[in-house]
Amino acid sequence: MGIIRKTESVEILLNEFQDTETALSTVELIKRLGKQINKTTIYRVLSKLEDDGVLHSFLGFDGVKRFARCKTCSKSNHSDVHPHFQCVSCGKTECLDIEVNIPELLNREVMFSQLLIKGKCNLCAV
Amino acid sequence: MGIIRKTESVEILLNEFQDTETALSTVELIKRLGKQINKTTIYRVLSKLEDDGVLHSFLGFDGVKRFARCKTCSKSNHSDVHPHFQCVSCGKTECLDIEVNIPELLNREVMFSQLLIKGKCNLCAV
DNA sequence: CTTATATTTGCAACTTAGTTGCATTAACTA
DNA sequence: TAGTTAATGCAACTAAGTTGCAAATATAAG
Ligand SMILES: [Mn+2]
Ligand SMILES: [Mn+2]
Ligand SMILES: [Zn+2]
Ligand SMILES: [Zn+2]
């Protein structure tokens, strides 16, 4: 079930994802917006934005959910599948605009895959 | 800090990983062994076995930690990096003996990567 | 502009994976 | 066999995420 009304919470949250390919964790958003929006609402709005194809989500190495803007998705067509990169130094997590081809697996039906890369981002690498 | 003494808990847990490439979640192991071994001990022994290079771990799509036997690792050399497959029907999670090459990322230093594939396993596929 | 209705929100209480401190027990060594 | 130290069990805790419900608010009709 997606978003029906353009509330303040929705606008504040959408704003956080403007002009960035960076993924934001729920923990981060609650820390940042917890005084303006209740954490339950934050979880609910994020989940609705994901249903609508506005955001996509994945789990970081710490098991915490992260959200990032979708580029080419809609409510009916969620096709935003790409690797994610998490920096061990600054913690920044980014979407990567690259294709990774998954090899065929005999006897198995592949439905979805996620690649998570750990390392040092462009700012933190030596 | 790895394992120093061969206790009953260690043997029971090691036994669960015999003769299988299947990964077992902490939740599964606690459900299965919770009457013989305290859950705290289960977590602690698993972590030590990982330090020793006997097991390796990763997070499933549900965010729950899973462990599986290492093939070629030791305390000093943890080189067991491979994709994992999680079945949406039966929940079974397996290590995949395939190589996936990660493309170079300019300006970034790649330290580690994990590929998690969701689908239907050989038994559950049509 | 006012009202009716359905959606959204905040709050408190809850669930669950995982961790910690500490006293007790058990494995190994001498 | 006794002493040392690692390992265990227990209870209490942490933290991410969820749920039920009453109060608030966006939206559309009148
Ligand atoms: Mn992304
Ligand atoms: Mn594996
Ligand atoms: Zn960085
Ligand atoms: Zn299966």
Side-chain angles (χ1 to χ4, degrees):
Chain A
M1 181 195 66
I3 282 182
I4 295 176
R5 297 183 181 174
K6 290 267 166 61
T7 65
E8 209 186 331
S9 309
V10 172
E11 286 193 9
I12 292 173
L13 274 163
L14 273 179
N15 219 39
E16 295 291 320
F17 292 95
Q18 289 301 130
D19 314 318
T20 176
E21 301 233 330
T22 299
L24 300 171
S25 72
T26 51
V27 174
E28 228 168 322
L29 287 166
I30 289 168
K31 203 179 295 170
R32 211 183 281 182
L33 306 172
K35 269 135 201 166
Q36 303 173 65
I37 317 175
N38 182 273
K39 74 167 182 173
T40 309
T41 304
I42 293 177
Y43 280 112
R44 288 195 275 224
V45 170
L46 289 171
S47 164
K48 286 179 180 177
L49 288 171
E50 188 173 20
D51 286 346
D52 286 341
V54 177
L55 300 179
H56 62 279
S57 74
F58 59 96
L59 300 181
F61 283 105
D62 52 6
V64 171
K65 208 170 187 178
R66 278 140 217 274
F67 289 85
R69 258 219 335 269
C70 283
K71 286 187 164 172
T72 57
C73 295
S74 66
K75 201 169 309 196
S76 48
N77 181 30
H78 255 286
S79 55
D80 223 332
V81 181
H82 50 244
H84 293 99
F85 184 93
Q86 189 169 350
C87 178
V88 292
S89 299
C90 68
K92 184 172 64 182
T93 307
E94 309 163 281
C95 298
L96 294 180
D97 254 334
I98 58 174
E99 282 278 335
V100 176
N101 63 322
I102 309 305
E104 278 298 307
L105 303 175
L106 28 146
N107 302 323
R108 273 178 270 241
E109 189 188 324
V110 173
M111 296 167 66
F112 174 77
S113 71
Q114 65 168 53
L115 176 63
L116 191 55
I117 302 173
K118 182 190 276 183
K120 288 189 180 165
C121 75
N122 51 342
L123 294 173
C124 295
V126 220
Chain B
M1 181 194 68
I3 281 182
I4 294 175
R5 298 181 181 174
K6 289 267 167 58
T7 65
E8 210 186 332
S9 309
V10 172
E11 284 191 9
I12 293 172
L13 273 163
L14 273 179
N15 219 38
E16 295 292 318
F17 292 95
Q18 289 302 129
D19 313 318
T20 176
E21 301 235 329
T22 299
L24 300 171
S25 71
T26 50
V27 174
E28 227 168 320
L29 287 166
I30 290 168
K31 203 179 294 168
R32 210 184 281 182
L33 306 172
K35 270 135 201 166
Q36 303 173 66
I37 316 177
N38 182 274
K39 76 167 179 171
T40 309
T41 303
I42 293 177
Y43 280 113
R44 287 196 274 224
V45 169
L46 290 172
S47 163
K48 286 179 182 178
L49 288 171
E50 188 173 19
D51 287 346
D52 287 340
V54 177
L55 301 178
H56 62 279
S57 75
F58 58 96
L59 299 181
F61 283 103
D62 52 5
V64 171
K65 207 170 189 180
R66 280 140 217 275
F67 289 84
R69 257 216 338 266
C70 284
K71 285 186 166 173
T72 56
C73 295
S74 66
K75 202 169 308 195
S76 49
N77 180 29
H78 255 286
S79 55
D80 224 332
V81 180
H82 49 244
H84 292 99
F85 184 92
Q86 190 169 350
C87 179
V88 292
S89 299
C90 67
K92 184 172 63 181
T93 307
E94 307 165 280
C95 297
L96 294 180
D97 254 334
I98 57 174
E99 281 279 334
V100 176
N101 64 321
I102 308 305
E104 277 298 307
L105 303 176
L106 29 146
N107 302 323
R108 272 179 271 243
E109 189 188 323
V110 173
M111 296 167 66
F112 174 78
S113 73
Q114 64 168 54
L115 176 63
L116 191 54
I117 302 173
K118 182 191 276 181
K120 288 188 181 163
C121 74
N122 52 342
L123 294 172
C124 296
V126 220

